[in-house]
């Protein structure tokens, strides 16, 4: 029988990706609290390396060994749904609970909810107040972020001070497509372009290689040409050591940066390149597998995680951004006046999800290579055209497999 | 159990080159057969075919009447000493010798006993634990012999097993092999270049040349009645002298010859052979062994020549003469007169016609001396 | 001793030059190891403070064993270590037998088709593991296997999450076979022949003649196959989601998060690397000039 | 025993001894490879568990299609001939749907652009062979030199063997990260050392960022990393050379160098052939270094076939296409091997 | 240019085991020195030390008066034939032979000429392009000789270069080496187990035993006046017989002996040696060579015994007798009477006291026959 029992409780297996010790132990405590909160379900967690996470899911699915609960990177939800790995959460989690979540924390595909996020991560511009003061730059606000011209001007002045070989750190050492897409799609979007045509989700032509996208590409290339950004950052210490005046990176670096810069640290909204500031939303989220024998139990766990106090605990324990106002309010760091409140506000205002399409991996990879090539001097128009072709083909290929009916349970 | 061996028209070729060209031969059980022949004539190849290490290109090989062409070497149950020793480099002397017993699952105590016995026989006890790389050439060869004799195979194949031993050890080893054969009565096929070994050990000697058997016979038979010039020249050191015959004459159905270099008035040499034997064309040769020659004064001798070389071996002294009708220098064993002969002396050669061999144009012996 | 023989005929200056060259090369070769070792005793700050200078390779300044304490104290490194040891030794052990036997058969026995198999082997070498990892995964996901459940041995539907899924597919190895094959072919035929005369079966020839004369290849294959198994990453990541059968290399991933504590990573990497180097030092003793050829004349 | 029974016995032993290995290779290598081959005719995705649909030769067609456009010059600034953007031409013309420029050359006044549906594959192919041509001789020579050095009977050779071998033992990822840092334009030790040695005349080289230097830099690092591995194989080979041959050569008056060429090299002939094959195969599978150090850049300058296959098959989850890349590549290498063997046979005749 | 060689108290040990225990020896330029001794006595080791292939543990080696202990083999300019051949397996016969010339950068044409000459001399022309693995044992050995003789070194070192050749080829090769030496006048050190080779080739023979020189001398000197029992027994085949002396008596300052097994009334054997020579303790032995013995009727003979074995070698026949006072069987060379003797016959032994050797208790020769 499938029902494994531990201490008289029904056992639910849970897979999560490895995300570092802090996040992981926070997760373990959450599970412990869940088990203490009721007597019916037991959870056996398992941490899997991120590198082969997707393939592990595939292998487990083939062998009929999918866990009941699992974490899914939000952009991968569509792909997993299409492959039939996930069960819709409609009805399992009360609409009221869902409604209070930031939209970026809801993994939807083709009208159904498949995953929910307990927390989010967000990008911001980090800099030192002293550096801006030195060149007399304005400190932007949520309502009034830097414009493209302002931003360019500031970078130019920072460079001109001679104190920084490369004033801006874009974490270009990161070899993974994930980072490049996550970090730079918002810029593309802020310029007015996008990875795909959001209206149809069927093609990239015009969005990824249109005039706005070309402007983005040209500007992106100019960052390297003008020596504002290092093509390949040797390490991730540029801001900490003061090699760079400014870093565009995630909230997870805030503790280190605080330690390095103290009160001098500024956490600023990314610039508005024309169509408003955009920040990538949607981190790793929770889902229930299509083969889970006890969706109720799994749902009970998810509902527990989405309780505002749990959201707050996670935010404080792991430094992740809460996804509901209620959660933020209960948190020490993210309540109004909390030291990390800025991130919550940024996400509330600017977060935008990556496109929910099964072709996301291909899209992301194509965009990644286009950006790399642009940074290395390839004509931006050509690079974006190439990426557009690749994306269009990938969508066509991926779309050729019909998505399974929602709710269909694989045997 | 001693096996009988039979070779029926055995051929062997290496990449198109014929090495063994039809050898037929029967070896009786317990027979000690010695194989001799010039370097490269195919002796080792023949041995390896008998052992089953080399495929037989054509012909049949029979052990006790059964065709064994396709048998595994192991199944043939033979002991072999390789010309190249082929010792296992990673085993000690004792392990090398005892390996076949170990394979035969002989109990350790008995095995050690047998190995120790063999090593004692071969004067190798002290080197018991040495590796082959730490042995001298002769020591390696003795280990190789030990490996072959330690078990009791149907037949022994020896490929020049004593070539790296000094004279006295060689005599000892030769006697040891002989004694072994006396005791075990195994069938033995033995390749050697040493004529003393061949003469003393063999029941029969096979003379091979270029992959063909030139003669088979008891040792003294071969020495005293070689079937052809090749065998005559091959067996015996120094070599038999070959003198060219200038003219043959019949006297009452018997043969009388005149040698090249004999002047007109020397009498013809009468041989007790029917004249018809030399009817063939081409030159006829007379052969005479060193021990049947004597030196005399040049005048009135059968032939006269000069001493080209003197070899003093201690027990014997040989003079080598340059003679007009001889193809090579003619060896003469000297007796009491040894110390008086010096290189450059002009001397006469005298020999007993009774002891002379006669070969026709094809090299076939038409006359051998009576016993 | 080979060409560079250091018999007494080598001039002092040549020997000195050789030593100098060796030391220089040693420096060039050892630096990432030194980097790893040094970094494993430093905090993140210290690591980056020294990066780009000679100090990155020399343990100077503030050193700490905290990384090791942390790595050993957190997670299941000892369990992973044990898994890796089991996986590596079993694969190497079985591999040595299976592959050397196959090579023996190819190099030393006569059978029809062996030349075809030998050429096929070269072709198989070309197939990169990456190209077959997904189909192989499809395969093992469906292979029935054995597992323990509640202390009882049960038939499972797949090989996932086991130790043997990390062992069995890698026992037979075209590369190892090929390496054995090359070496076995160079052993003089005389040794086999002598053994056959001594009454050995082919398997005994293998056991008593070929194996003892081939220590260097056995050492080579052990090291190389062991290394490949020890460092295996992609495959266990796919097929072993659970921690019970997780190997060391995969365990390292837990230290990579949004931010990375390089000190921990380097300590972990050191713990992974040192046993392999130790094993190498043990095995390499088999590379003393062996005695092939000295049993034969000519 | 009859001929046939003997054969049967021999076959049994052969089967017994080679059976387990052949079974393992078949089950875990050949069958998966055939499966991969089967995948190339489908549109199988990595994430999906349902088998993909049969799509015929589509993957091959995408991988291997090549075409060209010829353009006449348009009047440009300052009399320099200018050409319309190729991408505008191809995107407008349905005949060239899916084609991208691969390379171009001038044909008189005209410009000819070679198009391919997957130009990166072609570049990767060229890059990979280029890499192999660089790294194989370098690495083998290095390995042989190391092997000789640590086999020379000098003191401390056990330790040195371990030292030279240590890069092999270390995880390629860690090593790649360290070298990326060494190669860094501004902070890397290599440029600092160069500048020091050349008294500042050699400016900072952008090793991994320059199209001309990226691949050689990776080759250098790979040779360095892998040489210890081949050193081991050479060491094993060196053990098989009889000491007596060295003795004979010394008597013949051979210098150390001549002994090397006339005894060591011939004695290692098989080993060298083997090491070359193995190194070439490893070189042709280049992936990790590129993935960590350059991600195929700059502008595909270090993209390799394996890198390409993994990008398409795993990262973009198009396993059918990734398999097609691997299969085609396998076919190319196999052809090369067969050609080489045929040549060798002819030479040895 | 022929070199003089000098060895001064040379020692050699392998891992603590003394192999060469202080050998001192001078070889004159152009001298042909033959080294003999039992298997494992250190001959090859000595040769390898002279060649520079083996380190000298202690002592000095001088070439033309210059200490060469630390010279490279190449610098010593020697030619060497290895006991194990040590041919380059990847080179053809011609390449093997021509290799040293190639190293010496001799022009191709001249090189080919010299190689062809050498191959012709060694009867190897046909195998010009064969690889060593395709050669028979004797062919390999000849290639090894070719390699040594093709260039013109200061000294030749031969380690049993003819051991794998058949008798007739061996004689030819021996003559060839001798002729070569006549022509080139190189200094030669030659190890052999073949006494005929030793006797015929050597200017002087060195007898080595257990790493110590037992005697140096001209061949016949060694044969006729061995300095000790070891040399006496080692040189000559069949071996000298040793008879135990029961009693020595002085008669007018001269020595007379009675042998063990001689009965009371047999007269004492008078030897022309001063009696004081045997003052030492322990048994004294008398030695006599096979060719100096005769068989007689048992009655009235010096000693009486039975025939244990008869060896008929063709040219010679030897009888081996069991005698009371002999340590081993006593070999007697038979003359005309050969055919009449059979195993088991009771016979008498007679020999000429003039030809007898006498050894004291320490084995030192106290009397040798006059020439
Ligand atoms: N490498 C070694 N290690 C230990 N002992 C050795 C080594 N090489 C030779 N010996 C020993 O040294 C002694 C002399 O060996 P050497 O080869 O000089 O003898 P040899 O006189 O040439 O004998 P043979 O006539 O049998 O060739 C032998 O007892 C041998 O066992
Ligand atoms: N593998 C081989 N390939 C080609 N020819 C070979 C091979 N082995 C031997 N031969 C040739 O076969 C002939 C016979 O060789 P074999 O070894 O039987 O001679 P042998 O009578 O034992 O000579 P020896 O007395 O010199 O040992 C030789 O001419 C040799 O060159
Ligand atoms: Mg032979
Ligand atoms: Mg010797």
């Amino acid at each position: 029988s499938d029902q494994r029992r531990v201490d008289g409780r029904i056992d639910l297996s849970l897979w999560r990706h490895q995300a570092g010790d802090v996040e992981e132990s926070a997760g373990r405590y959450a599970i412990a609290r869940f088990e203490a909160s009721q007597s019916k379900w037991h959870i056996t967690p398992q941490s899997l390396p991120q590198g082969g996470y997707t393939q592990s899911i595939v292998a487990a699915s083939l062998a009929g060994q999918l866990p009941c609960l699992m974490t899914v990177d939000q952009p991968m939800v569509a792909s997993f749904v299409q492959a039939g790995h996930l069960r819709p959460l409609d009805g399992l989690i009360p609409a009221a609970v869902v409604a209070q979540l930031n939209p970026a924390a809801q993994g939807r595909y083709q009208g159904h909810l498949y995953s929910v996020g307990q927390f989010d991560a967000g990008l911001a511009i980090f800099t030192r107040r002293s550096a801006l003061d030195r060149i007399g730059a304005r400190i932007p606000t949520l309502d009034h972020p830097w414009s493209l011209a302002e931003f360019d001007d500031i970078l130019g002045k920072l460079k001109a001070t001679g104190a920084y070989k490369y004033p801006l750190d874009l974490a270009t050492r990161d070899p993974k497509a994930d980072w490049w897409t996550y970090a730079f799609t918002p810029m593309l979007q802020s310029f007015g372009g996008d990875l795909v045509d959001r209206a149809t989700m069927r093609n990239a032509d015009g969005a990824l290689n249109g005039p706005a996208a070309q402007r983005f590409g040209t500007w992106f290339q100019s960052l390297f040409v003008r020596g504002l950004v290092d093509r390949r950052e040797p390490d991730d210490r540029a801001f900490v050591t003061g090699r760079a005046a400014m870093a565009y990176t995630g909230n997870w670096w805030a503790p280190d940066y605080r330690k390095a810069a103290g009160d001098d640290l500024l956490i600023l909204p990314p610039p508005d390149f024309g169509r408003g500031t955009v920040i990538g939303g949607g981190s790793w989220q929770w889902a229930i597998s299509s083969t889970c024998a006890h969706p109720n139990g799994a749902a009970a766990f998810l509902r527990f995680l989405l309780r505002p106090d749990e959201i707050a605990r996670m935010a404080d324990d792991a430094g992740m951004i809460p996804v509901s106002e209620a959660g933020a309010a209960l948190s020490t760091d993210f309540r109004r006046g909390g030291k990390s409140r800025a991130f919550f506000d940024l996400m509330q205002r600017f977060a935008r999800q990556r496109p929910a399409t099964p072709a996301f991996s291909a899209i992301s990879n194509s965009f990644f290579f286009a950006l790399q090539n642009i940074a290395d001097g390839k004509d931006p128009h050509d690079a974006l055209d190439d990426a557009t072709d690749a994306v269009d083909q990938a969508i066509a290929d991926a779309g050729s497999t019909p998505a399974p009916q929602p709710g269909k349970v694989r045997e | 159990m001693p096996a009988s061996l039979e070779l029926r028209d055995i051929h062997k070729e290496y990449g198109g080159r014929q090495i063994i060209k039809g050898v037929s031969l029967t070896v009786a059980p317990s027979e000690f057969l010695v194989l001799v022949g010039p370097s490269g004539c195919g002796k080792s190849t023949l041995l390896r075919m008998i052992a089953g290490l080399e495929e037989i290109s054509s012909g049949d090989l029979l052990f006790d009447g059964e065709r064994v062409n396709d048998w595994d070497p192991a199944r043939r149950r033979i002991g072999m000493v390789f010309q190249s020793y082929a010792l296992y480099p990673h085993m000690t002397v004792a392990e090398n010798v005892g390996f076949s017993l170990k394979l035969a699952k002989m109990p350790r105590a008995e095995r050690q006993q047998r190995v120790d016995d063999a090593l004692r026989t071969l004067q190798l006890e002290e080197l018991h634990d040495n590796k082959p790389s730490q042995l001298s050439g002769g020591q390696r060869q003795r280990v190789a012999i030990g490996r072959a004799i330690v078990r009791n195979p149907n037949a022994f194949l020896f490929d020049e097993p004593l070539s790296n031993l000094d004279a006295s050890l060689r005599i000892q080893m030769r006697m040891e092999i002989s004694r072994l054969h006396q005791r075990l009565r195994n069938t033995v096929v033995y390749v050697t270049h040493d004529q003393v070994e061949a003469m003393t050990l063999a029941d029969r000697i096979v003379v091979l040349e270029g992959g063909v058997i030139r003669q088979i016979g008891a040792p003294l038979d071969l020495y005293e009645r070689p079937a052809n010039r090749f065998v005559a020249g091959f067996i015996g050191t120094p070599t038999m002298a070959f003198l060219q015959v200038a003219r043959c004459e019949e006297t009452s159905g018997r043969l009388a010859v005149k040698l090249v270099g004999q002047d007109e008035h020397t009498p013809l040499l009468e041989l007790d052979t029917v004249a018809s034997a030399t009817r063939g064309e081409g030159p006829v040769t007379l052969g005479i062994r060193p021990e049947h020659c004597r030196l005399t004064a040049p005048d009135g001798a059968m032939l006269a020549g000069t001493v080209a070389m003197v070899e003093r071996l201690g027990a014997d002294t040989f003079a080598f003469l340059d003679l007009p009708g001889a193809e090579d220098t003619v060896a003469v064993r000297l007796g009491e007169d040894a110390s008086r002969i010096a290189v450059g002396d002009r001397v006469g050669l005298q020999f007993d016609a009774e002891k002379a061999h006669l070969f026709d144009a094809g090299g076939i012996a038409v006359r051998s001396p009576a016993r | 001793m080979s060409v560079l023989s250091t018999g007494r005929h080598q001039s002092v200056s040549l020997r000195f030059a050789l030593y100098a060259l060796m030391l220089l090369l040693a420096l060039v070769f050892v630096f990432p190891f030194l980097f790893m070792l040094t970094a494993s005793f430093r905090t993140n700050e210290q690591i980056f403070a020294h990066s780009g200078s000679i100090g990155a390779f020399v343990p100077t300044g503030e050193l700490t064993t905290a990384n090791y304490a942390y790595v050993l104290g957190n997670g299941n490194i000892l369990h992973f270590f044990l898994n890796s040891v089991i996986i590596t030794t079993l694969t190497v052990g079985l591999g040595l037998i299976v592959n050397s036997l196959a090579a023996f058969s190819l190099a030393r026995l006569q059978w029809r088709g062996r030349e075809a198999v030998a050429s096929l082997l070269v072709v198989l070498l070309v197939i990169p593991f990456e190209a077959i990892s997904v189909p192989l995964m499809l395969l093992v996901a469906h292979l029935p296997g054995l597992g323990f459940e509640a202390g009882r041995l049960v038939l499972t539907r797949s090989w996932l999450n086991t130790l043997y899924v990390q062992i069995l597919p890698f026992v037979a190895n075209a590369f190892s076979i090929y390496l054995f094959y090359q070496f076995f072919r160079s052993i003089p035929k005389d040794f086999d022949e002598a053994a056959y005369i001594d009454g050995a079966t082919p398997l005994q020839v293998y056991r008593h003649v070929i194996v003892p004369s081939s220590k260097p290849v056995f050492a080579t294959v052990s090291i190389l196959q062991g290394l490949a198994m020890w460092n295996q990453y992609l495959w266990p990541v796919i097929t072993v989601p659970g921690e019970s059968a997780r190997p060391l290399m995969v365990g390292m991933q837990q230290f990579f998060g949004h931010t990375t504590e390089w000190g921990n990573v380097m300590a972990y990497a050191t713990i992974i690397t040192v046993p392999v180097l130790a094993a190498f030092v043990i095995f390499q003793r088999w590379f003393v000039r062996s005695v092939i050829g000295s049993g034969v004349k000519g | 025993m009859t001929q046939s029974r003997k054969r049967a016995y021999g076959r049994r032993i052969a089967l017994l001894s080679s059976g387990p290995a052949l079974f393992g290779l078949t089950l875990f290598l050949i069958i998966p490879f055939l499966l991969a081959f089967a995948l190339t005719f489908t549109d199988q995705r990595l994430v999906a568990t349902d088998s993909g649909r049969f799509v015929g030769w589509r993957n091959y067609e995408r991988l291997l299609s090549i075409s060209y456009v010829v353009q006449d010059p348009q009047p440009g600034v300052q009399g320099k001939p200018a050409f319309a953007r190729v991408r505008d031409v191809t995107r407008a013309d349905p005949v060239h749907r899916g084609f991208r420029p691969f390379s171009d050359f001038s044909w008189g006044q005209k410009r000819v652009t070679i198009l391919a549906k997957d130009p990166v594959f072609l570049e990767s192919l060229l890059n990979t062979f280029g890499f192999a041509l660089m790294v194989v001789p370098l690495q083998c020579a290095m390995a042989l030199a190391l092997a000789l050095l640590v086999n020379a009977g000098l003191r401390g050779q056990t330790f040195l063997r371990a030292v030279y071998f240590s890069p092999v033992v270390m995880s390629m990822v860690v090593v790649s990260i360290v070298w990326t840092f060494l190669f860094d334009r501004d902070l890397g030790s290599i440029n600092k050392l160069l500048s020091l040695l050349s008294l500042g005349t050699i400016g900072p080289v952008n090793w991994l960022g320059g199209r001309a230097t990226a691949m050689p830099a990776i080759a250098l690092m790979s040779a360095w990393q892998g040489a210890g591995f081949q050193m081991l194989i050479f060491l094993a080979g060196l053990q098989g050379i009889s000491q007596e041959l060295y003795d004979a050569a010394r008597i013949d008056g051979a210098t150390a160098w001549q002994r090397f060429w006339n005894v060591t090299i011939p004695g290692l002939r098989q080993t060298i052939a083997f090491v070359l094959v193995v190194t070439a195969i490893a070189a042709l599978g280049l992936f990790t270094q590129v993935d960590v150090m350059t991600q195929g850049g700059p502008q595909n300058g270090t993209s390799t076939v394996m890198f390409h296959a993994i990008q398409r098959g795993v990262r973009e989850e198009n396993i059918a296409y990734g398999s097609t890349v691997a299969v085609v590549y396998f076919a190319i290498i196999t052809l090369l091997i067969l050609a080489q063997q045929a040549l060798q046979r002819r030479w040895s005749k």
Side-chain angles (χ1 to χ4, degrees), chain B residues 127 130 132-140 142 164-166:
Chain B
L127 301 170
N130 282 39
S133 61
Q134 302 169 327
L135 299 181
S136 77
Q139 290 163 343
R140 287 183 202 179
R142 276 179 280 160
N164 273 276
L165 305 184
D166 62 277

Side-chain angles (χ1 to χ4, degrees), chain B residues 100-117:
Chain B
S100 63
L101 304 180
K102 190 168 155 195
L103 291 178
K105 302 217 167 46
M106 181 177 287
R108 171 181 296 270
E110 188 183 349
R111 199 165 80 214
Q112 259 172 11
Q113 184 59 44
R114 299 253 304 244
V115 169
D116 287 347
D117 285 352

Side-chain angles (χ1 to χ4, degrees), chain A residues 79-287:
Chain A
S79 189
F80 277 26
V81 170
Q82 181 154 45
H85 299 322
L86 303 184
R87 157 192 285 277
L89 301 178
D90 310 318
L92 287 172
I93 298 180
V97 174
V98 177
Q100 51 144 346
L101 298 178
N102 190 330
Q106 304 170 23
R108 293 182 181 277
Y109 183 57
Q110 295 182 339
H112 298 276
L113 179 71
Y114 285 93
S115 65
V116 288
Q118 193 197 13
F119 54 79
D120 209 338
L123 300 181
I125 296 276
F126 296 77
T127 186
R128 287 178 169 83
R129 188 184 299 274
S130 52
L132 293 188
D133 288 349
R134 189 168 160 205
I135 56 166
R138 173 180 75 89
I139 295 176
T141 63
L142 286 183
D143 292 323
H144 196 34
W146 284 324
S147 68
L148 171 59
E150 252 183 306
F151 190 47
D152 268 352
D153 178 51
I154 290 166
L155 289 178
K157 283 182 176 154
L158 285 171
K159 170 106 184 169
T161 61
Y164 315 101
K165 178 141 198 192
Y166 305 105
L168 178 62
D169 174 8
L170 289 182
T172 46
R173 83 199 148 273
D174 197 320
K176 289 191 288 299
D178 290 354
W179 165 253
W180 291 65
T181 310
Y182 177 63
F184 305 118
T185 304
M187 292 186 178
L188 170 67
Q189 289 167 332
S190 184
F191 267 94
D194 206 338
L195 293 176
V196 292
D197 178 353
R198 291 263 175 170
T200 63
M201 291 291 226
R202 303 270 355 139
N203 62 63
D205 200 6
L208 187 50
N209 61 349
Q214 288 177 35
R215 261 184 287 119
F216 161 73
T218 311
W219 173 77
F220 188 71
Q221 191 166 55
S222 76
L223 292 177
F224 300 95
V225 174
R226 288 183 284 163
L228 302 177
V229 176
D230 192 357
R231 171 63 187 89
R232 193 172 273 103
E233 286 286 345
D235 57 32
D236 49 17
R237 319 295 288 182
F239 183 77
V240 175
T241 58
R243 276 205 326 264
M246 207 178 269
Y248 172 62
T249 185
N251 58 302
W252 52 87
W253 271 107
D256 285 47
Y257 286 6
R258 271 197 198 99
K259 214 158 77 188
D263 288 342
D264 205 16
L265 181 71
L266 285 177
I267 301 171
L268 304 176
D272 172 358
F273 294 103
R275 298 286 176 86
T277 292
V278 181
I279 298 176
S283 180
W284 285 78
Q285 304 187 336
W286 290 100

Side-chain angles (χ1 to χ4, degrees), chain B residues 7 27 130 154 168 186 189 202 214 270 287 309 332 334 359:
Chain B
L7 284 69
V27 189
N130 282 39
N154 291 337
S168 66
N186 310 54
V189 182
R214 301 307 303 264
E270 281 186 29
M309 185 166 74
V332 177
L334 305 182
F359 303 97

Side-chain angles (χ1 to χ4, degrees), chain D residues 140-160:
Chain D
C140 291
M142 226 152 97
L144 183 56
L146 291 181
L148 292 175
L149 210 52
V150 297
N151 202 41
L154 294 171
R155 213 170 298 234
Q157 62 183 17
T158 305
F159 172 72
L160 284 165

Side-chain angles (χ1 to χ4, degrees), chain D residues 102-123:
Chain D
F102 168 56
S103 81
D104 57 58
F105 55 89
S106 307
W107 181 267
Q109 285 289 298
K110 297 179 203 286
R111 182 173 75 174
V112 182
T113 306
I114 310 281
L115 304 172
K117 284 203 170 168
D118 191 348
V120 182
F121 173 67
L122 298 181
E123 286 182 65

